Amino acid sequence: MKTAIILGATGLTGGELLERLLKDKRYDKIKLFSRSTAGVKNDKIEEHLIDLFELEKHADDFVADEVYCCIGTTQAKTPDEDTYHKIDYGIPVNAAKLAKKNGISRFLVISALGADEENRFFYNRTKGEMERDVKAQGIAETYIFEPSLIAGKRDEKRPFEAAWQKTMSVGNHLLIGPLKKYRSILAGKIADAMIYVANNKYSATCIKSSEIREIADSYR
């Protein structure tokens, strides 16, 4: 029986992940670290409502077999670049540092397709820097998931993403060959792939969107 930590269980992918882990008999405890409650009642859940910018203050509770980091915001939701960087870079990297310190040997994090520390665009560069510094912690099993546009029903309103999701749902079949990686992907597919990789030794560290879908489809 295993214990998993989820950062970002109140988000779209984190919520899908939580739902699946609660049904998975390999796990008997799911620790949630977030600033607001996931609103789910289950005996498996141990919820820690904290300031994620001060994660290191909760080191004694940050103990598990694996960490799933599903933290992420958008430039529309968080236009201030300093705050955006603290969320999309700072929280995952600090979580990886704490996981390393506490001897957690498996760390899975959601990044984004196009992440590149040398990219001139702030969003892609931030994701690339996060990937670089998460890997630098030297956690034995580090897995970075790079999805394209994440599709699914969100509680919050994101008009641009909603419109783009509709466009992609029609145009996905047109993206073939090397362009397959740009197809939108359901949050549930990402959750399925993360759980599969966490429970099966996987050769790749960085997993692109089309590969995420392939893993999820074979897993289900």
Side-chain angles (χ1 to χ4, degrees):
M1 301 296 285
K2 298 201 296 181
T3 296
I5 287 173
I6 302 179
L7 299 168
T10 57
L12 178 59
T13 308
E16 295 278 0
L17 181 65
L18 173 59
E19 182 181 321
R20 285 157 171 75
L21 290 181
L22 289 175
K23 296 176 182 177
D24 195 317
K25 294 180 180 179
R26 292 170 294 193
Y27 297 83
D28 64 350
K29 183 179 289 187
I30 315 296
K31 295 184 178 182
L32 308 182
F33 288 82
S34 59
R35 65 179 181 178
S36 58
T37 181
V40 179
K41 300 297 182 182
N42 190 289
D43 290 342
K44 283 188 178 184
I45 293 176
E46 179 181 302
E47 196 164 35
H48 300 267
L49 301 182
I50 67 167
D51 181 348
L52 288 174
F53 295 145
E54 299 180 343
L55 188 60
E56 65 280 356
K57 292 184 178 179
H58 305 273
D60 289 345
D61 295 314
F62 203 84
V63 179
D65 296 285
E66 56 212 30
V67 175
Y68 294 89
C69 186
C70 305
I71 291 293
T73 185
T74 65
Q75 287 177 295
K77 186 178 178 181
T78 312
D80 180 73
E81 290 191 352
D82 287 340
T83 304
Y84 182 94
H85 193 269
K86 285 176 67 178
I87 295 170
D88 272 48
Y89 169 87
I91 295 174
V93 171
N94 287 338
K97 289 179 178 178
L98 194 52
K100 177 66 174 181
K101 179 180 178 182
N102 285 355
I104 301 173
S105 61
R106 195 171 298 112
F107 189 90
L108 304 94
V109 60
I110 298 176
S111 180
L113 196 64
D116 181 358
E117 63 182 286
E118 302 294 335
N119 199 292
R120 65 190 181 92
F121 293 107
F122 176 75
Y123 176 83
N124 301 77
R125 187 170 66 252
T126 298
K127 291 293 190 182
E129 291 170 348
M130 180 274 288
E131 291 187 8
R132 176 198 65 202
D133 292 345
V134 163
K135 288 187 285 187
Q137 303 314 309
I139 297 171
E141 293 183 54
T142 298
Y143 300 107
I144 297 169
F145 294 78
E146 291 189 350
S148 181
L149 177 69
I150 302 175
K153 187 177 180 181
R154 299 180 185 272
D155 292 331
E156 60 186 300
K157 293 183 178 179
R158 295 186 181 184
F160 174 78
E161 284 193 20
W164 188 242
Q165 278 189 38
K166 290 180 180 178
T167 301
M168 292 301 292
S169 66
V170 175
N172 268 352
H173 70 283
L174 299 175
L175 299 173
I176 59 176
L179 298 179
K180 282 178 64 177
K181 65 182 180 180
Y182 296 110
R183 293 178 179 178
S184 61
I185 183 168
L186 290 169
K189 297 282 188 182
I190 302 170
D192 286 337
M194 293 180 87
I195 295 170
Y196 177 85
V197 168
N199 288 279
N200 297 271
K201 293 280 188 178
Y202 202 73
S203 57
T205 295
C206 188
I207 305 169
K208 306 291 185 181
S209 200
S210 55
E211 188 176 356
I212 294 171
R213 184 181 291 103
E214 289 170 4
I215 294 169
D217 288 345
S218 63
Y219 167 62
R220 280 298 180 188

